[in-house]
Structures are given as C-alpha cells and as structure tokens.
Amino acid sequence: MSTCAPSPPNAETPYRGRFAPSPTGPLHFGSLVTALAGFLQARSHVGRWLLRIDDIDPPREQPGAADAIRTVLARCHLEWDEEVTFQRHSLEDHRAACEKLMHAGLAYRCTCSRKLIGARAYPGTCREAKHLAQGRHSVRVRVGADRVSLEDPVQGRQTWNLEQEGGDFVIWRVEDLPAYHLAAVVDDAAAGITEIVRGADLLDSAPRQRHLQTLLDLPRPAYLHLPVAVDAAGQKLSKQKLAPAISESSAAEALVAALNWLGQTPPTVLQRAPPAAIIEWAIAHWDPRAIPRQRQWPAPHLGS
Ligand code: GLU
Ligand code: ZN
C-alpha cells in the first residue's frame, strides 16, 4: 500500500517543523533535546519551527506550565516562528474530523471498558453495534490488516500491523475530548507541518497517525524519532517524575550537554559561551546523521 511514504517535497512546500509539548511541567533535559533537534532541523532546512501547546488532557496539566515552557525555550534561544498555538482552540476541527470518519463508516462508537479489553488488541466488538450518541462511549477508528511502514532517519525502517498491535484505536475519548492521535494529525495538517521530530516513546504513534492522515486525506509528514533520554535506572525523564527543570544559570550547560547527547561535537570553549552563541554554532554544524540510532540513550548528569 502507498500510505506510508511522506508527501513528496517540492519547491512550494518549504520545511515546517513543530515542538508540541504537553503543559504538564517545565522543560527538562528530555524535552530540551526534542526542542533543540527540531529547531536545528528546521533552521538547517531554512524552514519554520512552530510551538504548539498540547493542552487537551486537563487532568494532567499543571497551571503555569505553558508559560514555563516558553520561558525556558526563550532562555535557550530556541526561538519559535509564528504565534504559539493551543490544541484546545481547535477542538471543533478535531470534532469535525471525528464526525467525518464516522459518517464515512470508518469510525464507530464503542462502549467497552478498558478493563473488559485488557491488554489484548481491541477485537472490534462494537464495530457493527451502532451505539447511540447519548450513552457513555468513546469513538474508535477501524484499522485493516495492511502493514504500515515508515522510514525513520534515526530509527530505520519500521513496520507495523495495526490490527494485531492494538486493533481499532480510540480517536475520541469517553471524557468527550479528542484523543492525542486525532488532535495531532488535524493540527499538524492545519499548520502545514512537513516533518515531525519527537522522542521514540512516540514511535508507535506514527503508524496510527499515518493511518488517520490517509483516511482523512491529509498531507503526510515525515517522522524523525530521537532516542528517549533515560536516567540511570533506564526510566524516561519526565515532568511527572520531576526531572530537574532548566534554570537561567544552567541553560548554556544544558544546551552543550544536549548537543553532545545528540551526537554533535561542540568545542569545549562553547561551555562558557552564552546560549545565543551555542545556538549559532549548532545551526552551522548540525548533523542529524550523528544522532545515536537508539530507542533510548542515557541522559548526562548535569551540575547544579
Ligand atoms: N504532546 C506530546 C508530548 O508531549 C507530543 C506530541 C507529538 O510530538 O506528536 O508527549
Ligand atoms: Zn467496544
């Protein structure tokens, strides 16, 4: 099937990338490397780099986190282009995409509880049930038995069988909010994103998002999944687990560490340079081929 290759680039589609943090806490090393790599990809393609706040999961959000993220990005001289966007502002577009899939018979209401489904792939129980809109339900999109393959410059060629790996997946949640995959593809398309740079913890999201792009007839961005920064115990650094935030005084050190972590080789004199100079060096020397071809990679120990 031809659903896999990204939309062909041409002179009229300049590079557009984005950083899409969830506002669950301030930026830590793990999210800094994602922001930095995405920013450098965009700058080296003379493209644009956008900031989108993925605020469609209210219980996980932390007041002030969106502002804290912007503060750290500015501190690190990771300057985004255009106005910041917020996913909650496009809820109606997410809803319209969900309805389009339902009207086409490609998505359906599901009343199964997570407990009932357990760890196995969703067996399609509600496919033909025609549940009414009134009751408590989620909406699932149908997947087929076709394999979905993607070429990732860091992770290599990846192939999935969505039917066996999870089955029909949720695009609208019981809480009456869009699920991440649906919101992400709708907003990526609206912003004209041509390449998505993010952590390999989201690698398995790529075939689901590609599937939705195909069904919704949206342009297909390329994907680049970075290794996930892990602590000494092999655990992903996360805002929830309180990985240290990047402070004013630690920005330069964190940037140099992030460049090293991404396989770049900043000269040691940069250690004492201001963030602007570090970013200038990084734009001129960025080589994505040097990124470690790993699913996870240990984060350095940062002082302070
Ligand atoms: N908002 C998601 C997160 O912070 C990332 C979404 C994406 O890059 O597709 O994990
Ligand atoms: Zn069901």
Side-chain angles (χ1 to χ4, degrees), residues 13 32 55 90 95 141 158 169 210 215 231 236 277 288:
T13 47
L32 176 67
D55 54 353
S90 46
R95 197 182 293 279
V141 67
Q158 306 288 322
F169 59 91
R210 183 61 99 228
L215 297 185
D231 63 19
K236 181 189 170 197

Side-chain angles (χ1 to χ4, degrees), residues 17 38 48 80 83 115 131 146 171 195 219 238 255 288 297:
R48 296 202 155 215
W80 58 93
E83 251 183 75
K115 206 165 130 204
H131 293 303
D146 306 338
I171 55 170
E195 183 179 62
S238 76
L255 276 173
W297 198 237

Side-chain angles (χ1 to χ4, degrees), residues 87-128:
Q87 283 202 305
R88 74 188 135 86
H89 293 161
S90 46
L91 282 181
E92 288 321 307
D93 299 333
H94 306 150
R95 197 182 293 279
C98 180
E99 280 167 6
K100 183 174 169 190
L101 293 174
M102 288 180 79
H103 288 148
L106 298 167
Y108 58 89
R109 298 187 187 100
C110 166
T111 55
C112 302
S113 67
R114 224 170 260 161
K115 206 165 130 204
L116 184 82
I117 303 163
R120 64 199 166 123
Y122 181 70
T125 320
C126 298
R127 273 190 171 187
E128 313 304 333

